[in-house]
Amino acid sequence: MKPLYQGKIDTFCAFYAVLNALRLTHSIRTLKAREIFNDILMQLVSQPERFRAVLEQTTDYIDLVDEMLEYSAARMPLRIQRPFQPHEAVAKERFWTCCNAWMNGDANRTAIFRFKRYTDPHGKPIVRHWTTIAKMDDNNLDLYDSSHEADSIQHLAKSNIVTDQSQIAQNILLYVQPDSLRLVGLPF
């Protein structure tokens, strides 16, 4: 039997995505990350229905990510962009170009997004996960991720994702949710 580790049973990957983004943009240390994490948890505890939705994964966490980013922006210089509207149809090429242009701009930039992983194109996702981009190029994306699962995704190839859930197929089982994309960096 393997030991449990942080993230194995909790549902806080969205929190970790924001905190990892701040590590990349501002080099925040563990104590600062814990302070932000605790403050956001305390805010959620005062909203029991919302907190339960986080614990039970009955939310997409987008509002929570935005709140954490805004909370952080009030305490440190931070630029946040939301390039796509909720439920906007976004072609994979457009999503990839947007991320690549942002990531390969000035230093201290990253991006946060949510993906769903399937094992069956007609089934439900087995993973719903928020992550942070470490670096990317025209064809590949490396994640700066909180997951330590043996089979966790640490790299994405452009050819292995879709940005339209209806295009999940036997050979492409990873859906990247375009409206979850948050571009994060230092102000100009």
Side-chain angles (χ1 to χ4, degrees):
M1 185 177 285
K2 295 180 182 180
L4 295 174
Y5 52 81
Q6 186 70 42
K8 181 69 174 173
I9 60 173
D10 69 44
T11 54
F12 299 134
C13 60
F15 289 62
Y16 284 96
V18 172
L19 296 171
N20 282 331
L22 296 174
R23 284 180 73 82
L24 290 171
T25 60
H26 291 77
S27 301
I28 66 166
R29 297 190 183 275
T30 303
L31 289 176
K32 183 66 174 175
R34 183 179 298 142
E35 177 186 313
I36 295 168
F37 184 85
N38 290 348
D39 286 351
I40 296 300
L41 275 180
M42 292 304 293
Q43 289 176 23
L44 275 175
V45 168
S46 68
Q47 304 166 58
E49 288 180 25
R50 191 162 179 235
F51 189 51
R52 180 160 298 284
V54 168
L55 295 176
E56 295 177 352
Q57 293 184 306
T58 57
T59 177
D60 63 10
Y61 299 86
I62 289 175
D63 290 341
L64 179 62
V65 166
D66 288 339
E67 286 175 29
M68 284 187 74
L69 288 169
E70 289 165 16
Y71 171 93
S72 299
R75 288 156 180 78
M76 62 186 75
L78 189 63
R79 182 173 181 209
I80 306 156
Q81 292 184 6
R82 297 164 185 87
F84 307 118
Q85 298 300 312
H87 311 292
E88 178 181 352
V90 178
K92 173 172 56 175
E93 189 64 39
R94 184 171 166 221
F95 178 87
W96 200 271
T97 300
C98 176
C99 289
N100 199 17
W102 178 258
M103 290 299 299
N104 292 301
D106 297 332
N108 298 89
R109 289 184 175 193
T110 189
I112 301 168
F113 66 91
R114 181 178 189 229
F115 68 80
K116 295 179 184 178
R117 184 176 177 188
Y118 295 80
T119 55
D120 176 348
H122 306 293
K124 293 183 177 185
I126 59 164
V127 172
R128 291 178 214 81
H129 185 61
W130 280 86
T131 191
T132 307
I133 299 175
K135 64 182 179 176
M136 70 181 297
D137 60 31
D138 292 340
N139 298 305
N140 296 291
L141 182 149
D142 292 337
L143 302 176
Y144 189 69
D145 201 80
S146 63
S147 179
H148 295 289
E149 296 278 345
D151 63 346
S152 69
I153 296 172
Q154 299 297 320
H155 311 279
L156 295 178
K158 181 177 169 182
S159 59
N160 292 335
I161 68 164
V162 295
T163 55
D164 177 345
Q165 223 166 346
S166 70
Q167 294 180 353
I168 292 293
Q170 198 62 41
N171 61 335
I172 300 179
L173 297 167
L174 196 67
Y175 162 67
V176 173
Q177 186 178 339
D179 66 341
S180 71
L181 181 64
R182 300 297 182 261
L183 307 176
V184 181
L186 296 178
F188 291 128

